[in-house]
Each structure stands twice: as structure tokens, then as C-alpha cells.
Amino acid sequence: MKFAYRFSNLLGAVYRQGNLSFSKDGNAVISPVGNRISVFDLKNNTSETLPISTTKNITCVGLSPDGNVAVVVDEDGAAVLVSLITRAVLHHFHFHKPVSSIRFSPDGSYYGPYDETTCIDWTDDSKCFVVGSKDMSTWVFGAERWANLIYYSLGGHKDVVVGCFFEKDSLDLYTVSQDGTLCVWESDTELDGLVLKKSQDKPKPPRPGEEEDSEEERKEGEEGEVIRGKAGAPKEKNTNNVRYKQRSKHFFNKEGDFNNLTAAAYHKPTHILVTGFASGIFHLHELPEFNLVHSLRISDQRISSVAMNSSGDWISFGCSGMGQLLVWEWQSESYVFKQQGHFNNMASLAYSPDGQYIVKVWNTNSGLCFVTFTEHTSSVTKVTFTSSGFVIVSASLDGTFSSLAVDVSGELVSAGAQDSFEIFLWSMQTGRLLESILASASWDRTIRLWDMLDSWQELAVATLNGEISFWNPQAATQTGSVAGRHDLETGRKETDKITAKQSAKGKSFTSLCYSADGESVLAGGQSKFVCIYNVKEQMLMKKFEISCNLSFDAMEEFLDRRKMTEFGSLALVDEGAGDGDGVNISLPGVRRGDMSSRHFKPEIRVSSLRFSPTGRSWAATTTEGLLVYSLDGSLVFDPYDLDLDVTPASIRKQLRLQEWAPAIVLAFRLNEKALKQEVLETKLLGFLAASLEKSGHLQFYMTWVQSLLMLHGQKLKNRSGAILPTLQALQKSIQRHFDNLSKLCDFNMFNIRYAAALSKQRGLKRAAEEDEGREEEEDEELSEEMSVASLEDADLML
């Protein structure tokens, strides 16, 4: 088995803190999640987590105007320049201070200052930028050496400036403060009125015989200004400095209905200002008249970030309190995207039988949650799917059950009681309580095997001394063990009084999971590492570091001596509630103004591990979130029986000669996935499950699948245990294509019905018009006949 698993996606969390950004086309939202970046495609309803991470939680993200590059800054001021095309880190930089906001200029040549600023905006031509500060002031800076604008300070606010925005193609600007005040500032100068300072020419060394002349020219220059003995540029005349005046001042919370203003965004083309409040309410105002366009409460949590897409139709909101990410279309008043991660630590996970869904039910293909169950009134301790994949069983502390299991047939469900230390068994069909016929592990250092309906080949047990032991259930004998304490490599918490080495003696694995083929076992626990052990050899095959986020506790082996004082560690000093890091814990029943709230750094740990039934991926519930690791065969070059004749050129030559057998043999010897697929699609069948998932030749593969299953069904059934992961992967691929085609067919069917109805309506309209025209012609003919008859009568009378 190849252990080329790589980080694939982050589920269970969609937003933590920091600013939200829209892509250049406005169809995707870029959201900071812990120390990673997730991209949510709103058109295709999918998500992707970039394979890059910072050393601490991300506080701000700056997206380049072309959407190809982003600057990501963490809590310590460490920044990385990331390519959104190649998903690679291009450069590292450290500001050495916390950064609150970062913005590219429209032409991509600058990025904003840091220090104590809270917001930044640029003019459309990148000539100037404005910054808002925590000292309640706003500063306008010239990005170039302007003669009439170096910097300009604006007041007018009595609280922290939350947002500052230039008007389109103008130096006029708007500032918004935390107390709900909007100031409209008008400039007396247009952007074209900025005058660039002329550069000072360096004096050239005089040639021999020209020293006196040059000295006389320097003294006789009446128009020039002599600076430090050098000829200066001519002084600009009639150049007035840029000045601002406050045009108007408006207040959002006149009646005191809203809390502090927490986020703001401005869409220049439509002159729409979006403001979010701590109460979960947001407003849309049209500027500069301050006309209220829209107002709605979208959450009961504090709105932490607001952003608008390029067209101004979609507004994204981030609520860090509950980890919510919302995209609202304000004109139609409907949700485009609505996701919420888990608020507290995850305790358990389960794959559906086809490996496509995880409970709180997340789609592993799109990375989005589509079902949330809220029936439990206390912490959920265990979840699992039945074999059919249509039923989810969960255990919770509201029923005092701490563990749960469902048999292979899906007919029996068992649960372990936390208080009475008993195991109960129910029938799924009748709901009746049956006898206890299970295997159980207990704190009394014993494992008890009960009469089992299904025969087990092997049992793995993790003990508190850090060992994993393997048992034969039939003979009740131990077949081997693995000493995994040293593989955990636990870190030292900031409040620990002992070293990490001594602390590791009390750590152990808390979650085990067998792979789909039973050859290896996943182990994780009170550590940032997940280990894969080979069951037969009983040795460590690979370790995965699930996080490098130093915002979590117990990440480092040694404490930072810079945080140590003569009174102990600075981590022991509680700074109370506020804008600090970590998780805010309030007293029960207190919703607002809790003076006893405290913060703490969550400790990194793995609470649950599961292999996908397909064997292509595995997932872990961690402090960071739900991490999914999958096989990436394209990055692994693993040939066998390789020589000079086994090359891509020789394989394609055999294909041109229609020598199918040598071509397939050479392709398998080279073992490159793309080349194998090329050969097999040319003549033979191969890798149906893997190829069917991504290939566009759907009919080709489905024909082969049908023929294979119909002709060799009995043989495949006899080997079902060995090929079960392949069959499950095949089922997953077919189901995905079925879902996509069903949506497409439904869409086409509705369009055809609409076209038919429209054609019918037009046909009826055309028929009515023809009937009306025919009646008009008959009326004209009748009138002509009457006129002719009247003339004939007149002639007769004459």
C-alpha cells in the first residue's frame, strides 16, 4: 500500500476571523479559516482549501487586482505571498507587528502600511491612499511625490475608524467609525489636479576649462532655487495644497436600536455602502445622500467582515462567533451561499458507505455542508452511517450514551452507557432492546468479548500507556503490539510546569481506525501527529503533521524564553475579555457584558479518525477542523522493472503500430497514471473507478462496466472482500455522474417545456393575428362590395 496521502480539504469550518474577499469575477469568496485559506465557488457550489498555511491564525488577506496573487498575514505579522494559480508560496516577509488591514493598489504596485491602522483604501488611479486608525483619525497619503499633497489628517470621529473609502475617480471620501458615525469629506482638488514634484538633477562633474562658466551659471540662475549649494528645480507657482472639508455627517443608530458598527464595505460604481453591526443587522445606504436602501438581520452573531463582489449584487458576511459564512443577494433578498462550521470541538466523524458524505453532513466532493441535525440537547459523542447510507445514528450525552456501533447489515445498533457501564443492543426494525453481544473496552484495563454475530479477524486496542495491541478475537490471544508513545511527539503547553518529554508519559492514542483493506491502522490522539502503522509488520509507516498553527497550545516542544519572567510565564496572566486571541467563554445565562469571561488557547488534538470505504482518503476531526487527506497519484513516480526501453516515446510508438499487448505492459512498467489511461482508453479497459470519476468518456466506461459486471458478476462476488474498495469507488463515481446528469436533464427538460409553451403561445398569438387580419380583409371586401352596389343603385336611379 502506498502512503502518498496529501492534504486535500478542510471541512467543518468555513470562517474564523479576518476579512473576506471576492475573486476578480465575483463568483468565488476567499475566506480565512484558522491558518489556512478556503475558496468557495458560488457558481459550482464547491469549496477548496489551499495547500498553504501560516504559523498562526490569519488576520487579513489582500487580493491583487488581477486575482492571481494574494498576500496573507497572520497574527504575528508574518506574511506570505501566494500564487492562486499554482497554489504555491512565492515569498515570505515579516512586518514584526500585528497587521489589521492590507490592500493592493488598483495597478498592483503598492500595498498599504500597517502599524495601528484599521482600514485602507486606494484611489482608482493609485495616486493616493487613505488609512483609518484606532486613534479616531483618518490620514490621506500621496503614493507619489506630489507637490500639493504629502499627507492630510482628518478628524470628526469619536471612536475607532472602521472603514474609509474614496469615491470613484475622485479624492472625495467617506469614513465610518465604530460608534455608527458616517462622515462625508469633499476635496477641493480633482485627481488630475495633483502636481508631481520635479526631480532634482544631480550636477554633472565640470569638464576641464568649464568650471568658471558652470559656477557663474549656478549663481546667475534667478528662476532656480539653490538647495545645499545645488541648483534646484524651478519653484512651482500657483499650486495650492489639497484641502478637505466635511460636507455632511450622518448617524446609523439615532434611535439606539443597534450595537457597535463592526464592519463596512463600499461599492464605488453603484455608490452603495454596506455596514454590519454587532447585533447581526446590516444596512445598505446610497451615498452621498445617505438614503436607506435595505436593512435586515441575517444572524444573531457579531458581523466581523463584509465584502461586495465586482457587480455589487452579492454581499458576503463573516461571523466569527459561530463560524458563519453567508452570501446575500440583496436585490432578490435571497441567500446565494449559507454555511456554518462546528462551534465547539468535533468529537466524532463517520463516512457514508460510498465515501461521499460525512456527518454534520458534509459532501466530500464539494466540501460543503448540506444537512445539519439539531435534535440533540447535549454534546454528540458518536455518529455512524448504516450500510445503506441512508440512515444516520448518533449518540449524545443527553441520553448518557458515550459510544455507538451499527452492524454490517444495518439491523442492529448498540450503545454504551456512561453512567451504568452497560451496553445495550436494539433492533433497528422493531426498536426492541436485545441482549448484549458485543466487544467492549473499559477503564478497568480489560477488554470483554461478547457473543458476536459477525466474525472479526482482528482487534486493535489503544491503552493509556501509549501502546497499540493487536488481538485475535477467536483465540483471545495477543498477536502483537506497537509502542507508539514516542511517535506522538507531544508538545509542551504554556502552563505546563514540566517538560514535553515528561508530559508525553501521560499522553496516548485516543482514536484508531483500520484501512479498507485491513493492512494498516490509523492512530491519533493528544498530539499534532497522525500515525499509520502496518498491522503485519507492526511498524510505523508514515506520520502526518495535521497542523503547524502556533495559535494552538502544545504545538512546540520548548517554551519561548522571551515569554518567561521572574514571576513565571506570561501565558499565566489573564488579560480578560476583549479583542484578544482564543475562545471566549462566558458564564451560563449571561449574553452581554460578562466581566468574568476569559480566553484560552485550544490544545491541539485528534478526537476521531476514519478511513473512507474507498480507501482513497481518510479524515480526522481535530482542533483545527475536519481535515481530509486523499491519494494524489499524479505526484508519485513509482515505476518497476524499469530500463532504457521503457519510455513514454516507446509506449506511444507501440500504440501507433497497434501493438496493444506490448503497449499496456510497458505502460504498467512505467506506472504513470496519465500514460496508463491513454493506453487503456485506446484499446483496453482499466482503472474504471478512478477513470470514470474524472474522464469525459462516460458511455465508453459505462459500457465496459456493464459488460464486466454482467459477465463476471459471480467471480467478482466471490472476491467481494478483496475488491470492495474498488466497487465502492465505482459506485461513488457513477452516483456523482448520475447526480450531475439528473440536474442537467431536469434543466433541459424545463427549458424545453418553456420553449414549447412559448412557441405555443406565439402560435396562438400568430393565429389570432391571422384571424384578425382575415376578418379585416373580409370587412374590406364587404365594404368594397357595398360601395359597388351602392354605385350601381345610384346609376339605376339616374
Side-chain angles (χ1 to χ4, degrees):
M1 181 179 180
K2 301 294 185 293
F3 296 97
Y5 291 97
R6 286 170 172 80
F7 174 77
S8 174
N9 207 350
L10 171 63
L11 309 180
V14 293
Y15 174 76
R16 292 279 175 80
Q17 64 177 15
N19 64 293
L20 299 173
S21 303
F22 273 98
S23 60
K24 182 182 179 182
D25 57 6
N27 295 332
V29 177
I30 301 173
S31 172
V33 184
N35 67 331
R36 298 181 182 273
I37 294 293
S38 294
V39 181
F40 297 92
D41 190 336
L42 304 178
K43 288 288 188 180
N44 300 318
N45 203 33
T46 59
S47 71
E48 177 191 8
T49 303
L50 304 186
I52 59 103
S53 59
T54 56
T55 55
K56 284 198 173 181
N57 289 335
I58 297 171
T59 57
C60 54
V61 179
L63 191 65
S64 63
D66 57 6
N68 296 334
V69 178
V71 177
V72 181
V73 189
D74 67 9
E75 295 171 340
D76 286 344
V80 290
L81 183 65
V82 181
S83 171
L84 299 180
I85 305 298
T86 62
R87 303 310 200 242
V89 176
L90 304 178
H91 184 65
H92 289 268
F93 184 78
H94 209 299
F95 290 100
H96 300 290
K97 289 184 178 180
V99 179
S100 302
S101 180
I102 188 167
R103 293 290 186 275
F104 276 87
S105 67
D107 62 5
S109 59
Y110 299 93
Y111 54 87
Y114 48 103
D115 204 11
E116 293 298 321
T117 60
T118 57
C119 48
I120 304 175
D121 193 34
W122 287 82
T123 57
D124 294 328
D125 54 5
S126 301
K127 291 182 177 179
C128 303
F129 61 91
V130 58
V131 298
S133 177
K134 288 185 177 181
D135 61 3
M136 300 172 287
S137 64
T138 307
W139 294 75
V140 181
F141 293 92
E144 302 180 35
R145 296 179 60 84
W146 303 116
N148 52 345
L149 176 61
I150 300 177
Y151 60 86
Y152 198 98
S153 177
L154 302 172
H157 289 286
K158 298 180 180 180
D159 208 336
V160 176
V161 178
V162 176
C164 50
F165 313 100
F166 278 110
E167 187 57 90
K168 183 176 177 61
D169 298 325
S170 175
L171 283 174
D172 299 342
L173 58 90
Y174 309 99
T175 57
V176 182
S177 61
Q178 188 171 309
D179 60 355
T181 303
L182 168 68
C183 292
V184 181
W185 303 94
E186 185 177 13
S187 172
D188 63 353
T189 306
E190 298 294 332
L191 285 173
D192 296 337
L194 295 175
V195 180
L196 190 64
K197 281 187 177 181
K198 294 185 178 180
S199 59
Q200 306 293 333
D201 297 330
K202 295 184 179 180
K204 299 180 180 179
R207 296 178 180 178
E210 295 182 356
E211 295 185 2
E212 296 181 358
D213 296 339
S214 61
E215 189 70 24
E216 290 178 359
E217 290 176 1
R218 186 179 300 178
K219 292 180 180 179
E220 293 176 358
E222 296 180 358
E223 297 295 333
E225 180 183 356
V226 178
I227 302 177
R228 296 182 182 177
K230 298 180 181 179
K235 187 176 182 179
E236 300 290 346
K237 294 184 178 181
N238 301 326
T239 302
N240 297 323
N241 292 332
V242 175
R243 295 186 178 276
Y244 279 91
K245 67 176 181 179
Q246 190 179 97
R247 177 179 173 183
S248 58
K249 195 171 186 177
H250 307 280
F251 301 94
F252 290 91
N253 50 354
K254 293 181 180 179
E255 301 177 0
D257 294 336
F258 314 111
N259 295 324
N260 289 340
L261 191 150
T262 55
Y266 181 62
H267 191 251
K268 296 181 181 180
T270 58
H271 308 284
I272 295 295
L273 174 68
V274 185
T275 51
F277 294 82
S279 59
I281 295 177
F282 77 93
H283 293 326
L284 266 68
H285 285 87
E286 186 178 8
L287 298 183
E289 291 81 10
F290 198 68
N291 297 326
L292 181 63
V293 178
H294 190 70
S295 179
L296 186 70
R297 180 190 294 273
I298 61 168
S299 175
D300 56 356
Q301 298 293 319
R302 174 181 180 269
I303 298 177
S304 305
S305 180
V306 175
M308 297 186 73
N309 70 338
S310 55
S311 64
D313 298 326
W314 293 349
I315 310 171
S316 63
F317 301 92
C319 303
S320 59
M322 295 293 290
Q324 295 173 325
L325 177 59
L326 312 169
V327 178
W328 178 261
E329 187 175 46
W330 64 273
Q331 293 181 341
S332 63
E333 298 186 5
S334 60
Y335 283 106
V336 178
F337 184 84
K338 186 178 182 181
Q339 290 284 299
Q340 177 178 328
H342 291 279
F343 175 61
N344 289 320
N345 291 337
M346 301 181 193
S348 178
L349 73 96
Y351 270 100
S352 59
D354 59 0
Q356 192 171 1
Y357 301 121
I358 298 174
V359 182
K360 168 183 179 275
V361 185
W362 300 85
N363 188 310
T364 56
N365 290 331
S366 66
L368 302 179
C369 173
F370 64 94
V371 173
T372 300
F373 299 103
T374 59
E375 283 75 10
H376 286 295
T377 58
S378 186
S379 300
V380 177
T381 56
K382 185 70 175 180
V383 290
T384 184
F385 275 90
T386 61
S387 57
S388 65
F390 299 106
V391 179
I392 299 173
V393 185
S394 61
S396 170
L397 293 182
D398 55 10
T400 66
F401 291 111
S402 57
S403 60
L404 182 72
V406 178
D407 74 319
V408 177
S409 64
E411 298 293 333
L412 303 176
V413 57
S414 61
Q418 187 176 18
D419 297 335
S420 60
F421 308 108
E422 293 179 325
I423 300 175
F424 299 93
L425 190 71
W426 289 274
S427 169
M428 291 284 288
Q429 298 293 334
T430 63
R432 295 180 57 184
L433 183 64
L434 306 177
E435 295 180 356
S436 300
I437 43 178
L438 303 166
S440 61
S442 174
W443 283 81
D444 60 3
R445 298 184 295 178
T446 62
I447 300 172
R448 301 191 179 187
L449 289 176
W450 309 84
D451 184 18
M452 301 296 299
L453 294 180
D454 298 320
S455 59
W456 288 4
Q457 300 296 326
E458 192 176 48
L459 183 65
V461 180
T463 55
L464 292 179
N465 60 357
E467 290 187 357
I468 301 175
S469 56
F470 301 96
W471 296 76
N472 184 338
Q474 306 299 329
T477 57
Q478 184 175 348
T479 58
S481 65
V482 174
R485 174 178 293 173
H486 298 290
D487 299 330
L488 283 170
E489 292 188 26
T490 57
R492 182 176 178 179
K493 295 195 295 185
E494 293 182 343
T495 56
D496 281 348
K497 302 292 179 64
I498 57 177
T499 62
K501 185 177 181 180
Q502 294 294 327
S503 176
K505 295 181 179 180
K507 301 299 177 63
S508 61
F509 293 112
T510 58
S511 180
L512 300 176
C513 178
Y514 274 98
S515 61
D517 55 9
E519 294 181 1
S520 58
V521 62
L522 272 175
Q526 298 166 307
S527 170
K528 63 178 178 180
F529 290 102
V530 172
C531 305
I532 292 186
Y533 293 97
N534 185 284
V535 176
K536 184 178 181 180
E537 302 294 336
Q538 297 176 7
M539 61 181 296
L540 177 67
M541 302 300 296
K542 190 170 182 180
K543 291 172 61 174
F544 298 91
E545 186 177 7
I546 59 173
S547 178
C548 60
N549 191 354
L550 298 181
S551 297
F552 295 131
D553 207 355
M555 288 293 296
E556 297 182 289
E557 184 178 357
F558 303 101
L559 292 181
D560 190 351
R561 296 186 180 275
R562 293 173 296 181
K563 298 181 180 180
M564 300 299 294
T565 66
E566 57 181 328
F567 304 104
S569 175
L570 291 176
L572 298 174
V573 180
D574 193 349
E575 298 180 356
D579 295 331
D581 305 329
V583 180
N584 188 5
I585 301 180
S586 301
L587 289 178
V590 180
R591 295 186 177 181
R592 187 178 303 173
D594 184 9
M595 300 302 294
S596 65
S597 60
R598 295 293 183 265
H599 292 87
F600 75 99
K601 294 178 67 174
E603 181 181 356
I604 187 68
R605 63 174 60 229
V606 178
S607 57
S608 181
L609 290 167
R610 286 294 181 272
F611 256 108
S612 171
T614 63
R616 301 289 301 176
S617 63
W618 58 269
T621 55
T622 69
T623 313
E624 186 112 57
L626 178 58
L627 304 179
V628 180
Y629 288 76
S630 61
L631 287 173
D632 191 354
S634 61
L635 301 178
V636 180
F637 180 63
D638 187 21
Y640 59 91
D641 195 13
L642 190 64
D643 56 34
L644 296 178
D645 296 331
V646 183
T647 62
S650 63
I651 296 173
R652 291 188 174 93
K653 181 180 179 180
Q654 297 295 331
L655 287 178
R656 288 193 298 269
L657 297 175
Q658 295 187 356
E659 296 291 340
W660 310 116
I664 188 62
V665 170
L666 291 176
F668 273 94
R669 287 174 63 185
L670 189 61
N671 202 19
E672 284 191 3
K673 181 180 178 181
L675 199 56
K676 286 189 295 184
Q677 184 171 354
E678 179 182 349
V679 174
L680 294 174
E681 286 190 355
T682 305
K683 182 62 180 178
L684 301 175
L685 169 70
F687 303 111
L688 283 175
S691 300
L692 182 62
E693 185 173 0
K694 297 182 180 179
S695 176
H697 306 292
L698 184 59
Q699 183 180 3
F700 171 79
Y701 285 115
M702 290 300 297
T703 303
W704 273 100
V705 169
Q706 183 180 8
S707 300
L708 181 64
L709 295 180
M710 293 295 293
L711 296 177
H712 305 281
Q714 187 61 40
K715 294 181 179 179
L716 294 175
K717 184 178 181 181
N718 296 335
R719 299 175 53 241
S720 60
I723 65 172
L724 182 60
T726 303
L727 294 178
Q728 289 174 332
L730 182 63
Q731 179 187 1
K732 175 183 176 181
S733 302
I734 295 175
Q735 183 65 37
R736 187 176 68 85
H737 283 295
F738 175 78
D739 294 339
N740 294 337
L741 288 176
S742 298
K743 295 179 181 178
L744 182 61
C745 292
D746 291 341
F747 181 74
N748 291 338
M749 182 178 64
F750 293 142
N751 284 340
I752 292 174
R753 289 179 179 177
Y754 175 76
L758 187 62
S759 176
K760 183 178 180 181
Q761 183 179 4
R762 290 181 177 178
L764 294 175
K765 183 178 180 181
R766 191 181 298 110
E769 292 176 352
E770 291 177 355
D771 293 341
E772 184 178 356
R774 192 178 299 109
E775 292 178 357
E776 291 179 355
E777 291 178 358
E778 293 177 354
D779 293 341
E780 291 178 357
E781 293 177 356
L782 181 62
S783 61
E784 290 178 359
E785 292 176 356
M786 293 179 63
S787 61
V788 171
S790 61
L791 291 175
E792 292 177 353
D793 293 341
D795 292 339
L796 292 174
M797 292 176 65
L798 291 173

